[in-house]
Amino acid sequence: FDFDYRRNRGNRAFDAFTADGSPWLWVRPGEDVDTNWSDRDGDGRDNYPDSCLDFAFVSGTGGAAAQVVVREGDFPDDERTSDHRPLVLVGSLLPKQSN
């Protein structure tokens, strides 16, 4: 999956997973934050800024919120840091309704 915040669209895999009728709901982080660092050409700049590659999905009833954890110095990544930022998901379940 990949989602571009600037264009506000996902790639084909993301779109298929979240299409109408899908039981899955993307818990979009409250703030659009780049979740990964990629510098394939070695120029010191992120090749995919404003990209989300880390997701939380839910299905069913309840509520959920997600947040990307940003720490000072986490990007660009190096031997001490990851090339992905952590994602926190907080959810609550609603009791099942009896018929």
Side-chain angles (χ1 to χ4, degrees), residues 2-99:
D2 191 2
F3 188 86
D4 183 325
Y5 289 127
R6 283 183 290 180
R7 296 181 327 154
N8 201 39
R9 32 181 329 197
N11 64 359
R12 286 206 273 169
F14 179 90
D15 291 345
F17 198 76
T18 58
D20 287 342
S22 169
W24 300 106
L25 173 67
W26 176 30
V27 183
R28 186 173 181 162
E31 186 178 347
D32 293 342
V33 175
D34 191 3
T35 67
N36 61 295
W37 177 268
S38 176
D39 182 16
R40 292 185 180 172
D41 56 11
D43 66 358
R45 292 190 309 240
D46 188 357
N47 294 119
Y48 302 101
D50 302 316
S51 172
C52 181
L53 290 181
D54 302 279
F55 301 90
F57 292 93
V58 295
S59 181
T61 59
Q67 177 183 356
V68 178
V69 178
V70 178
R71 297 176 303 200
E72 186 176 335
D74 62 356
F75 285 174
D77 68 305
D78 59 27
E79 67 280 349
R80 295 170 287 126
T81 61
S82 173
D83 62 346
H84 286 257
R85 289 182 166 138
L87 181 68
V88 175
L89 174 68
V90 177
S92 63
L93 299 174
L94 297 177
K96 197 172 195 178
Q97 299 290 327
S98 60
N99 292 336

